[in-house]
Amino acid sequence: MGRKAKYSAEQKVQACVDYLSGRKSVSQIVRELGMGKQGNAKVYEWINMYKKHGSEIFDDKPHNRSYSKEFKEKVVREYLAGQGSLNYLMAKYGIPSMETIRNWISMYNKHIEMKDYDPKPEVYMAESR
């Protein structure tokens, strides 16, 4: 099961709609949602994701998304080649957090092998018995 979000999908969509329609500024949205110092950046992340993928990007997922080793390396290489900011790549590929990409970059730069992620290892353990 995925993590519980601090803000509901409805709140995120409404924030995007309010901003894109010109009804509210990012500062107003941050204040109304009681977000902290990083609130502005987070709302801009939502807006970029919403513009690229629509409201479905905020739907609850049954488990955390998994990424292949090849995909992770592709995203890191694009970033290091200057083909997009963290925010741009996050929106482009529907990655829910810039921190995820930052972690991949750190691993890549430290020459730590990135691995495919198996979100349901208990299924495979049960099948191998």
Side-chain angles (χ1 to χ4, degrees):
M1 182 192 298
R3 295 185 189 113
K4 177 157 173 35
K6 290 182 184 179
Y7 304 97
S8 70
E10 293 78 19
Q11 287 173 307
K12 293 175 184 178
V13 170
Q14 190 62 55
C16 294
V17 169
D18 287 345
Y19 176 79
L20 293 171
S21 68
R23 283 189 290 240
K24 294 181 183 175
S25 69
V26 169
S27 297
Q28 287 173 301
I29 294 166
V30 167
R31 237 183 348 270
E32 288 176 8
L33 292 176
M35 301 172 89
K37 287 192 246 181
Q38 302 300 319
N40 283 16
K42 183 55 73 179
V43 172
Y44 281 117
E45 287 175 17
W46 296 346
I47 293 165
N48 287 331
M49 298 284 278
Y50 179 82
K51 287 189 328 192
K52 181 77 175 170
H53 302 283
S55 62
E56 299 81 32
I57 195 71
F58 303 124
D59 291 347
D60 286 334
K61 314 294 186 286
H63 52 78
N64 290 340
R65 191 163 164 206
S66 61
Y67 305 96
S68 70
K69 173 183 176 179
E70 292 77 18
F71 176 79
K72 294 173 188 178
E73 290 174 350
K74 174 184 173 180
V75 173
V76 169
R77 283 194 299 275
E78 283 187 36
Y79 176 76
L80 295 176
Q83 295 175 341
S85 66
L86 292 174
N87 205 352
Y88 171 81
L89 293 170
M90 187 182 97
K92 178 180 178 180
Y93 292 112
I95 300 167
S97 169
M98 279 195 286
E99 193 59 32
T100 299
I101 301 172
R102 281 189 191 106
N103 289 338
W104 296 345
I105 293 166
S106 177
M107 291 175 71
Y108 184 90
N109 286 335
K110 292 177 183 175
H111 305 286
I112 297 171
E113 182 182 1
M114 288 187 262
K115 299 179 182 178
D116 293 326
Y117 174 69
D118 176 9
K120 296 183 179 180
E122 68 278 0
V123 172
Y124 299 108
M125 290 176 64
E127 289 176 357
S128 63
R129 289 184 191 162

